[in-house]
Amino acid sequence: MAQLPTAEAPFAGDLPWTEVRRYAERRAVALLPVGSTEAHGPHLPLCVDVVIAEEVCRRVSMRLVQRGQLGLIFPAVRYGLTDFAAEFAGTISIPAEAARAFLTEVIAGIASHGFRRIGVINHHLEPAHFRLVHEAARAAANRTGAAVAVPDHRKPPVAPLLGDEFTRGGSHAGAYETSLMLAAAPQLVHEGARKSLPDLPFDLPAAIKAGARNFRDCGGPQAYFGAPASATREEGERLLEVLAEASERAVLDLPLAP
Ligand SMILES: [Zn+2]
């Protein structure tokens, strides 16, 4: 039987089922990237959260190999609840109940094929969305008995490592996400638009607590906040490593069920 590949991060969607079964038999950690299809300013594409989630999964998978373990990355969930950006072209928001039910079935489906440790790697930070991701993971874990982690980088000890803008709550399409994109998929960043955007410092969590229901109410008429112009690829590299390490730690903490 041929060795499973270890030089590159494996994507389940690119493999025949017979290969996927071998990963399950070898107790691979299943990684599920979760993002959104959502406006991210005039300089970034709709798929930002998916790109970041997939890149973090890829790095987690490479780190697991270095520890003598295997990861297998499942096809990303590309739609979520994205009410704040709903008015901007291309943004698709799925109501919480439908998104939760769908995600629960995806996670339970992965578990049903013998993957006993699952990392759900979510990078769409809208509070109601992140909540339903946690709920779906719990529901799938309860139903299947698999161990499911949802690393939450909004909290310490990870959040303080993600830069000033992130901790001050201005993390939508600003320096944080734009740096991540410059590192993960620079060909998708519109550099001309990015460099000309004025800084828009803002505390999104505070605005949401105060009753804002969309990005325009929050003071972001172009669906970005923070400082995209100051983003750098080097900072994106650093952020990706922080996020990958935190997610790796979360999946390694999962109990290896019999
Ligand atoms: Zn985003």
Side-chain angles (χ1 to χ4, degrees):
M1 190 188 276
Q3 284 288 89
L4 291 169
T6 53
E8 282 179 27
F11 283 82
D14 296 341
L15 299 175
W17 69 269
T18 47
E19 287 283 305
V20 173
R21 183 176 61 186
R22 292 176 60 209
Y23 278 93
E25 288 167 355
R26 308 243 176 133
R27 300 187 163 209
V29 176
L31 298 165
L32 178 65
V34 176
S36 66
T37 297
E38 181 193 31
H40 277 77
H43 61 302
L44 294 175
L46 300 177
C47 64
V48 163
D49 299 341
V50 176
V51 169
I52 295 170
E54 284 184 330
E55 179 60 17
V56 170
C57 287
R58 197 182 68 76
R59 291 178 188 232
V60 171
S61 164
M62 303 300 285
R63 283 166 169 265
L64 289 172
V65 166
Q66 281 168 12
R67 293 177 179 274
Q69 300 201 33
L70 288 170
L72 182 62
I73 305 164
F74 275 79
V77 173
R78 309 181 70 94
Y79 295 94
L81 186 159
T82 59
D83 286 346
F84 274 76
E87 72 170 284
F88 299 96
T91 299
I92 309 293
S93 189
I94 308 297
E97 200 177 322
R100 188 190 307 110
F102 178 78
L103 189 54
T104 302
E105 296 305 326
V106 173
I107 300 167
I110 294 170
S112 76
H113 295 296
F115 292 93
R116 307 309 290 162
R117 288 182 299 168
I118 301 171
V120 179
I121 310 301
N122 174 50
H123 281 273
H124 174 47
L125 302 183
E126 190 160 326
H129 173 85
F130 220 136
R131 200 177 310 131
L132 75 83
V133 173
H134 281 292
E135 290 163 355
R138 264 198 307 276
N142 287 341
R143 195 203 302 173
T144 64
V148 184
V150 182
D152 196 333
H153 56 286
R154 299 171 302 173
K155 299 175 183 165
V158 188
L161 304 174
L162 298 178
D164 253 21
E165 188 188 83
F166 189 92
T167 42
R168 283 188 280 108
S171 59
H172 185 81
Y176 169 78
E177 279 187 320
T178 307
S179 294
L180 286 167
M181 287 299 286
L182 285 172
Q187 72 282 8
L188 297 180
V189 180
H190 294 242
E191 278 294 81
R194 173 180 86 82
K195 287 176 180 157
S196 67
L197 288 174
D199 292 2
L200 206 52
F202 211 80
D203 187 337
L204 279 176
I208 292 168
K209 267 195 193 124
R213 287 287 167 266
N214 58 60
F215 284 151
R216 190 177 295 278
D217 285 353
C218 292
Q222 294 194 79
Y224 82 92
F225 298 88
S230 66
T232 66
R233 191 191 64 75
E234 292 72 23
E235 173 65 357
E237 261 307 311
R238 186 191 74 78
L239 292 167
L240 283 168
E241 284 304 303
V242 170
L243 292 166
E245 188 186 352
S247 288
E248 179 198 21
R249 212 177 317 124
V251 297
L252 287 172
D253 281 347
L254 290 172
L256 194 51

PDB file of all heavy atoms in Angstrom, residues 6 28 40 47 73 91-92 96 112 128 188 251:
ATOM      1  N   THR A   6       2.808  13.316   2.314  1.00  0.00           N
ATOM      2  CA  THR A   6       3.046  14.174   3.477  1.00  0.00           C
ATOM      3  C   THR A   6       3.675  15.508   3.090  1.00  0.00           C
ATOM      4  O   THR A   6       3.767  16.404   3.901  1.00  0.00           O
ATOM      5  CB  THR A   6       3.975  13.473   4.485  1.00  0.00           C
ATOM      6  OG1 THR A   6       5.144  13.054   3.785  1.00  0.00           O
ATOM      7  CG2 THR A   6       3.308  12.284   5.126  1.00  0.00           C
ATOM      8  N   ALA A  28      -6.564  10.462  10.949  1.00  0.00           N
ATOM      9  CA  ALA A  28      -6.260  11.848  10.577  1.00  0.00           C
ATOM     10  C   ALA A  28      -7.233  12.796  11.269  1.00  0.00           C
ATOM     11  O   ALA A  28      -8.379  12.441  11.546  1.00  0.00           O
ATOM     12  CB  ALA A  28      -6.370  12.019   9.063  1.00  0.00           C
ATOM     13  N   HIS A  40     -15.937  42.675   1.265  1.00  0.00           N
ATOM     14  CA  HIS A  40     -14.788  43.034   2.113  1.00  0.00           C
ATOM     15  C   HIS A  40     -14.100  44.260   1.529  1.00  0.00           C
ATOM     16  O   HIS A  40     -12.929  44.215   1.139  1.00  0.00           O
ATOM     17  CB  HIS A  40     -13.792  41.873   2.189  1.00  0.00           C
ATOM     18  CG  HIS A  40     -14.126  40.829   3.207  1.00  0.00           C
ATOM     19  ND1 HIS A  40     -15.097  39.885   3.021  1.00  0.00           N
ATOM     20  CD2 HIS A  40     -13.613  40.574   4.442  1.00  0.00           C
ATOM     21  CE1 HIS A  40     -15.167  39.102   4.093  1.00  0.00           C
ATOM     22  NE2 HIS A  40     -14.284  39.494   4.964  1.00  0.00           N
ATOM     23  N   CYS A  47     -14.443  36.318  -1.202  1.00  0.00           N
ATOM     24  CA  CYS A  47     -14.064  35.026  -0.612  1.00  0.00           C
ATOM     25  C   CYS A  47     -13.008  35.123   0.481  1.00  0.00           C
ATOM     26  O   CYS A  47     -12.421  34.107   0.873  1.00  0.00           O
ATOM     27  CB  CYS A  47     -13.566  34.087  -1.711  1.00  0.00           C
ATOM     28  SG  CYS A  47     -12.052  34.680  -2.500  1.00  0.00           S
ATOM     29  N   ILE A  73      -8.084  18.098   4.810  1.00  0.00           N
ATOM     30  CA  ILE A  73      -8.893  19.316   4.705  1.00  0.00           C
ATOM     31  C   ILE A  73     -10.124  19.053   3.840  1.00  0.00           C
ATOM     32  O   ILE A  73     -10.001  18.689   2.661  1.00  0.00           O
ATOM     33  CB  ILE A  73      -8.054  20.463   4.108  1.00  0.00           C
ATOM     34  CG1 ILE A  73      -6.783  20.672   4.939  1.00  0.00           C
ATOM     35  CG2 ILE A  73      -8.881  21.744   4.039  1.00  0.00           C
ATOM     36  CD1 ILE A  73      -5.714  21.492   4.230  1.00  0.00           C
ATOM     37  N   THR A  91     -22.867  39.707  -1.674  1.00  0.00           N
ATOM     38  CA  THR A  91     -22.960  39.126  -0.330  1.00  0.00           C
ATOM     39  C   THR A  91     -24.206  38.247  -0.244  1.00  0.00           C
ATOM     40  O   THR A  91     -25.299  38.673  -0.617  1.00  0.00           O
ATOM     41  CB  THR A  91     -23.054  40.242   0.725  1.00  0.00           C
ATOM     42  OG1 THR A  91     -21.878  41.041   0.645  1.00  0.00           O
ATOM     43  CG2 THR A  91     -23.203  39.663   2.125  1.00  0.00           C
ATOM     44  N   ILE A  92     -24.011  37.026   0.235  1.00  0.00           N
ATOM     45  CA  ILE A  92     -25.152  36.105   0.380  1.00  0.00           C
ATOM     46  C   ILE A  92     -25.248  35.723   1.848  1.00  0.00           C
ATOM     47  O   ILE A  92     -24.310  35.146   2.409  1.00  0.00           O
ATOM     48  CB  ILE A  92     -24.926  34.815  -0.439  1.00  0.00           C
ATOM     49  CG1 ILE A  92     -24.546  35.122  -1.895  1.00  0.00           C
ATOM     50  CG2 ILE A  92     -26.164  33.909  -0.356  1.00  0.00           C
ATOM     51  CD1 ILE A  92     -25.612  35.750  -2.736  1.00  0.00           C
ATOM     52  N   ALA A  96     -29.789  32.011  10.257  1.00  0.00           N
ATOM     53  CA  ALA A  96     -29.073  31.212  11.262  1.00  0.00           C
ATOM     54  C   ALA A  96     -29.552  29.763  11.311  1.00  0.00           C
ATOM     55  O   ALA A  96     -28.740  28.831  11.358  1.00  0.00           O
ATOM     56  CB  ALA A  96     -29.222  31.861  12.642  1.00  0.00           C
ATOM     57  N   SER A 112     -19.232  10.642  10.400  1.00  0.00           N
ATOM     58  CA  SER A 112     -19.844   9.348  10.090  1.00  0.00           C
ATOM     59  C   SER A 112     -18.891   8.441   9.310  1.00  0.00           C
ATOM     60  O   SER A 112     -19.108   7.239   9.226  1.00  0.00           O
ATOM     61  CB  SER A 112     -21.144   9.545   9.308  1.00  0.00           C
ATOM     62  OG  SER A 112     -20.852   9.891   7.963  1.00  0.00           O
ATOM     63  N   ALA A 128     -23.208  36.564  15.320  1.00  0.00           N
ATOM     64  CA  ALA A 128     -24.297  35.579  15.194  1.00  0.00           C
ATOM     65  C   ALA A 128     -23.842  34.359  14.390  1.00  0.00           C
ATOM     66  O   ALA A 128     -24.306  33.236  14.610  1.00  0.00           O
ATOM     67  CB  ALA A 128     -25.515  36.219  14.534  1.00  0.00           C
ATOM     68  N   LEU A 188      -5.316  38.239  -5.377  1.00  0.00           N
ATOM     69  CA  LEU A 188      -6.723  38.626  -5.222  1.00  0.00           C
ATOM     70  C   LEU A 188      -6.891  40.005  -4.565  1.00  0.00           C
ATOM     71  O   LEU A 188      -8.008  40.462  -4.355  1.00  0.00           O
ATOM     72  CB  LEU A 188      -7.470  37.571  -4.380  1.00  0.00           C
ATOM     73  CG  LEU A 188      -7.547  36.167  -4.982  1.00  0.00           C
ATOM     74  CD1 LEU A 188      -8.300  35.227  -4.044  1.00  0.00           C
ATOM     75  CD2 LEU A 188      -8.211  36.194  -6.358  1.00  0.00           C
ATOM     76  N   VAL A 251      -6.778  21.425  18.049  1.00  0.00           N
ATOM     77  CA  VAL A 251      -7.105  20.072  17.565  1.00  0.00           C
ATOM     78  C   VAL A 251      -6.260  19.014  18.284  1.00  0.00           C
ATOM     79  O   VAL A 251      -6.719  17.894  18.503  1.00  0.00           O
ATOM     80  CB  VAL A 251      -7.002  19.919  16.030  1.00  0.00           C
ATOM     81  CG1 VAL A 251      -8.002  20.821  15.335  1.00  0.00           C
ATOM     82  CG2 VAL A 251      -5.607  20.149  15.504  1.00  0.00           C
TER      83      VAL A 251
END
